Amino acid sequence: MGGWQRLIPNGVVAAYFRVEKLLKVGIRGTHSAQAITAGRNMQIKILPALSDNYMYLLIDEKSREAAIVDPVAPDTVIQAVLDEQVKLTTILTTHHHWDHAGGNKDLLQKVPGLAVLGGDDRIDGVTNFVKDGDIAKIGNLNIKCYGTPCHTTGHICYYITDSEKDEKVVFTGDTLFLGGCGRFFEGTAEQMYTALIEKLGSLPGDTKVYCGHEYSLQNLAYGAHVEPNNQHIEDKIKWSREKRELTPAEPTVPSTIDEEKLINPFMRVEETSVQSHAGTTGQGGIATMKALRAEKDNFKAK
Ligand code: GBP
Ligand code: ZN
């Protein structure tokens, strides 16, 4: 009997994810412990890299085929592939910034023949140029691409489902963070509104959100500044502090789309409390998005 079945108490509907297995391997120079989140059909190994980036090894449990999201540290990826005994077939690149796409070349040299998905011609090694609405597969898992231009013009978020549409995750790169969003380097508030409210905000509420950086405590501090009376934010700060104070620190990812709608000011731009803080009452969500981003660009947590 597999771990999944063992953990389902008799008569209780199984929670979507099994346990989060934390791998207390102290990898020197990384910011967090590696961790695995696993469902029946999909497993995700969280691989910290650089000072606060996350790479993700996505595994189709049935075929043991795997994809790697934003492999900036190829040696860490190769070790994870060996540890998990999976067949790596694909790189999913969220955007061209070096701390996400900067490992593509080196990984392709070490593991020739990988398919490389990306939505920007500034990304090294792209074999499959993707745009909004494109679909792909990793083993039995379905991938749907969401074009989310703003942080960069060619930014893509990858929404993954199993064949039963039971397990759902989205890799959001630097578009949506836990409690925040990416800087608008190459786009507008209107584009980020489309990305966060219309596209990502329409995904099923229980979709797990795996973002590109560990920024949760900084983002939540800003969220508390915007909405001092938001208890969901206070609770998430306490929970995140506990995770980050462990040695080694544990990742605060993933969150869910429903949770983001409760704690992320950039997903709450239609709320009267947020508009009141932004000074945009009655001006709508896009004006509020613009005002929040301008304030957050210079925000220093106390
Ligand atoms: C923090 O540590 O909380 N505020 C950040 C500081 C993404 S990385 C670092 C920062 O600005 N990070 C970027 C961001 O969008 N943060 C969201 C926020 O501050 O609210 N990057 O590495 C960044 O995209 C990069 C790489 C940028 C190449 C430009 C180029 Br060109
Ligand atoms: Zn970026």
Side-chain angles (χ1 to χ4, degrees):
M1 196 156 58
W4 167 252
Q5 286 152 308
R6 263 201 315 276
L7 283 150
I8 305 173
N10 284 343
V12 176
V13 177
Y16 158 41
F17 275 103
R18 193 158 74 194
V19 279
E20 277 184 39
K21 185 164 88 187
L22 281 153
L23 307 168
K24 305 266 179 189
V25 279
I27 295 181
R28 238 190 292 272
T30 57
H31 51 82
S32 307
Q34 295 187 355
I36 291 179
T37 52
R40 245 175 318 174
N41 299 317
M42 195 189 297
Q43 194 177 341
I44 291 162
K45 191 164 195 179
I46 303 172
L47 302 174
L50 306 178
S51 61
D52 49 35
N53 279 75
Y54 284 122
M55 315 182 286
Y56 298 105
L57 185 66
L58 165 71
I59 301 167
D60 170 42
E61 300 262 26
K62 283 201 190 104
S63 66
R64 300 300 285 172
E65 278 184 40
I68 184 75
V69 180
D70 289 348
V72 62
D75 291 340
T76 306
V77 173
I78 287 167
Q79 191 57 54
V81 166
L82 293 172
D83 290 347
E84 300 306 317
Q85 297 271 298
V86 292
K87 180 176 168 20
L88 183 66
T89 64
T90 307
I91 296 175
L92 302 175
T93 315
T94 61
H95 66 295
H96 77 281
H97 285 157
W98 71 273
D99 56 320
H100 297 261
N104 284 11
K105 231 185 195 164
D106 187 17
L107 185 59
L108 280 166
Q109 237 155 41
K110 290 174 169 158
V111 189
L114 295 174
V116 182
L117 275 60
D120 197 304
D121 59 17
R122 294 169 288 186
I123 297 169
D124 286 332
V126 171
T127 59
N128 300 57
F129 192 90
V130 292
K131 55 179 186 342
D132 191 57
D134 283 353
I135 56 172
K137 290 207 100 167
I138 299 294
N140 305 284
L141 304 176
N142 303 304
I143 303 179
K144 186 169 176 193
C145 301
Y146 283 84
T148 56
C150 180
H151 180 73
T152 65
T153 54
H155 196 295
I156 302 282
C157 296
Y158 297 95
Y159 176 61
I160 320 290
T161 53
D162 68 349
S163 55
E164 292 138 46
K165 295 257 177 354
D166 179 25
E167 299 169 52
K168 304 171 278 290
V169 310
V170 63
F171 297 104
T172 57
D174 286 2
T175 292
L176 171 63
F177 296 125
L178 193 159
C181 69
R183 291 177 189 265
F184 301 177
F185 287 121
E186 301 181 352
T188 63
E190 186 176 359
Q191 288 177 311
M192 190 56 92
Y193 183 91
T194 302
L196 296 186
I197 310 299
E198 293 172 359
K199 292 187 179 176
L200 300 177
S202 298
L203 295 176
D206 59 350
T207 303
K208 304 264 176 186
V209 177
Y210 289 87
C211 61
H213 290 269
E214 178 62 56
Y215 287 159
S216 307
L217 280 170
Q218 299 99 301
N219 288 339
L220 292 163
Y222 176 66
H225 165 74
V226 174
E227 290 185 285
N229 299 320
N230 183 326
Q231 190 58 44
H232 299 290
I233 294 178
E234 285 312 312
D235 293 347
K236 195 72 181 179
I237 288 174
K238 182 169 179 291
W239 178 89
S240 300
R241 271 201 193 123
E242 284 167 10
K243 293 226 152 203
R244 301 306 296 159
E245 279 166 4
L246 295 169
T247 310
E250 292 180 6
T252 57
V253 293
S255 58
T256 65
I257 292 291
D258 271 348
E259 196 179 14
E260 292 303 327
K261 288 178 179 175
L262 295 174
I263 64 174
N264 189 328
F266 297 95
M267 290 201 78
R268 293 174 59 75
V269 291
E270 305 289 1
E271 298 291 323
T272 52
S273 52
V274 174
Q275 295 195 353
S276 162
H277 171 86
T280 53
T281 301
Q283 295 173 44
I286 295 170
T288 309
M289 182 74 75
K290 186 173 180 194
L292 289 185
R293 189 60 258 175
E295 185 185 37
K296 172 78 166 70
D297 279 349
N298 299 304
F299 182 79
K300 296 263 177 303
K302 276 188 228 117

